[in-house]
Amino acid sequence: MSTHDDLFHRAQSVLPGGVSSPVRAFKSVGGTPRYVERGAGAELYGVDGETWIDFCLAWGPMILGHAHPQVVAAVQKAAADGLAFGTVTRAEIELGERILAAFPRHDRVRLMVSGSEAVMTALRLARGKTGRDKVLKFSGCYHGCADGMLVRSGSGLVSFGIGDSAGVPKATAADTVVVPLGDVAALDEAFRLHGDTLAAAIIEGVPANNGLLLQPTAFLHRLQAHCRHHGALFILDEVITGFRFGYHGFDRVAGLEPDLHTLGKIVGGGMPVAAVVGPAAVLDQLSPRGSVYQAGTMGGNPVALAAGNATLAILATGEPYHRLEELGAAFDSLPKGGVSWQRFGPIVWPWFADGPIPTSDVGLDPAAKPAYSTVYQAWLAAGVYMPPSAFEVGFLSAAHTPAHLERLVSVAAAAHAGR
Ligand SMILES: *Cc1c(COP(=O)(O)O)cnc(C)c1O
């Protein structure tokens, strides 16, 4: 028995499924989740003395790698000054300004704790603003665990093959209109039927919670045009994409003009920070200015914001993005064996089934799952930590080297070929 087995055994009698978030349980790849003691740069260190090159990166926040010295120093200083005050601090103004510098079309930011909460708040704002109840989402997009978004979502739900979550009120689910990604006819039809009752449409500009299901820019623009025409708010869920491709959102990459952006992951630098970004005309509807309620004991927590501020300050230099571009080019030039890799910026996803790489959840061949599990065990043995699910993406960080990428890709090629 490894220490991992011992700990996971003990965990099962305390935590449901032994975990604090479902995909961590390794159910979709098999075996025991690996207990991590420490991370530094691109590496994770396991409780049995293992070292893994980490491409999960805490599911996306650690774009600078683990334990970046400047980020850690900022957190230590903030912690020494007190962990929480429940009142206003300078740090929240600073993080707000740093975020707005990347979203020049907008002028307000509300800070909160999780991406799920940011999505929940954005949807409530849209409903408050429009007086409408329905929202449109895409099957295979994941927007966190708020009730109305657990309808044909990605992430843990896909790997477990659960279509929906139990416990979501029928009435709530009925207010969510679901459209397949990339399906222009279905999109047009959904707006024809429901456009005038929609408060908002929400999408991941680069859907990355169900594999990496890249959308044509024209599809995103068509969605935006429908929203404008029908008076629904266009919400770009940038919890993954915000600050991922440069010091900006995905709106800049695709030439979109969303009404609201939701942020999380990178903006907290590894701590629980999320945000809704938009124009004063919408965001000032939030309490205490307006009548749409949102609050949080830990909203704007100074220690969490120290990590976010330090991370964004480093990203603002542009240096990490140059590094990520170089790594992306190095990744593209590696021989991939028989594996199809999809890459968008520093997001990578291996596709182990036959046929073209899918662009909607309709194309997700379940044959990819056992193939991924086989490769996954080879990765772990060779010192590579990828997300433990065929339908989650890998992330490159500024702390990775071309040699790290070579290991990722060559182990996958060898294990897939020898399957
Ligand atoms: C991770 C994620 C969320 C949820 O954020 P949490 O902080 O896990 O609540 C929402 N939307 C997208 C696109 C995400 O990737």
Side-chain angles (χ1 to χ4, degrees):
M1 289 268 279
S2 68
T3 309
H4 305 284
D5 293 319
D6 288 343
L7 289 171
F8 194 51
H9 181 75
R10 197 173 132 203
Q12 316 258 359
S13 52
V14 190
L15 313 168
V19 293
S20 304
S21 190
V23 190
R24 298 178 194 175
F26 269 47
K27 280 188 93 162
S28 97
V29 290
T32 309
R34 298 308 196 266
Y35 283 81
V36 169
E37 209 149 56
R38 198 165 71 78
E43 290 178 335
L44 293 178
Y45 302 94
V47 292
D48 278 336
E50 307 94 331
T51 303
W52 293 289
I53 307 160
D54 183 19
F55 295 98
C56 183
L57 296 176
W59 307 91
M62 312 314 297
I63 190 168
L64 300 176
H66 297 285
H68 189 288
Q70 276 166 261
V71 178
V72 171
V75 169
Q76 284 172 333
K77 184 181 181 309
D81 287 340
L83 300 182
F85 310 115
T87 187
V88 290
T89 64
R90 213 181 273 271
E92 60 194 347
I93 307 172
E94 286 173 8
L95 189 64
E97 288 171 349
R98 288 186 207 281
I99 290 174
L100 286 177
F103 295 91
R105 297 176 43 250
H106 293 314
D107 42 24
R108 291 288 187 277
V109 180
R110 171 62 62 95
L111 297 173
M112 51 203 84
V113 174
S114 74
S116 299
E117 191 185 4
V119 167
M120 189 180 80
T121 302
L123 295 175
R124 188 176 299 141
L125 265 171
R127 286 171 165 138
K129 171 105 181 130
T130 60
R132 303 171 180 177
D133 285 346
K134 283 199 181 345
V135 297
L136 183 144
K137 80 178 283 288
F138 293 85
S139 63
C141 281
Y142 178 68
H143 301 291
C145 62
D147 278 351
M149 293 291 100
L150 291 178
V151 180
R152 304 290 304 276
S153 53
S155 209
L157 295 172
V158 175
S159 27
F160 294 136
I162 308 168
D164 292 311
S165 167
V168 172
K170 286 190 194 67
T172 305
D175 276 336
T176 306
V177 176
V178 184
V179 173
L181 281 169
D183 188 335
V184 171
L187 180 67
D188 292 352
E189 180 67 0
F191 271 92
R192 192 181 67 75
L193 291 173
H194 304 291
D196 294 336
T197 55
L198 287 177
I202 184 166
I203 192 167
E204 299 178 71
V206 182
N209 278 287
N210 207 336
L212 186 55
L213 306 176
L214 299 184
Q215 299 303 297
T217 305
F219 185 74
L220 303 171
H221 279 267
R222 194 175 188 95
L223 171 63
Q224 174 173 286
H226 275 305
C227 288
R228 293 282 187 278
H229 180 72
H230 289 277
L233 270 65
F234 176 40
I235 304 173
L236 195 60
D237 184 351
E238 301 228 43
V239 173
I240 284 184
T241 54
F243 297 95
R244 181 80 53 196
F245 312 115
Y247 199 86
H248 49 70
F250 181 69
D251 58 327
R252 179 94 53 98
V253 178
L256 294 165
E257 299 194 330
D259 298 298
L260 295 173
H261 303 250
T262 48
L263 296 172
K265 302 197 168 112
I266 290 176
V267 289
M271 294 285 267
V273 180
V276 178
V277 184
V282 181
L283 268 278
D284 283 352
Q285 311 248 334
L286 283 173
S287 51
R289 270 238 138 130
S291 53
V292 176
Y293 196 69
Q294 190 278 334
T297 304
M298 288 296 159
N301 174 271
V303 182
L305 295 200
N309 270 315
T311 297
L312 293 196
I314 295 165
L315 292 177
T317 66
E319 174 50 37
Y321 298 116
H322 291 304
R323 173 101 196 120
L324 287 170
E325 268 162 39
E326 286 167 10
L327 287 170
F331 185 89
D332 290 348
S333 68
L334 291 168
K336 308 292 190 308
V339 181
S340 306
W341 283 88
Q342 183 75 288
R343 179 178 81 82
F344 193 88
I347 309 178
V348 295
W349 181 52
W351 177 240
F352 293 111
D354 295 331
I357 301 177
T359 54
S360 99
D361 62 340
V362 178
L364 289 179
D365 184 346
K369 265 175 81 165
Y372 188 88
S373 304
T374 304
V375 172
Y376 198 77
Q377 306 311 325
W379 271 329
L380 283 179
V384 172
Y385 190 85
M386 274 284 278
S389 162
F391 301 124
E392 300 282 355
V393 297
F395 294 98
L396 310 184
S397 77
H400 282 108
T401 64
H404 291 150
L405 310 188
E406 203 280 326
R407 178 99 63 97
L408 171 71
V409 167
S410 66
V411 172
H416 190 57
R419 178 173 50 113

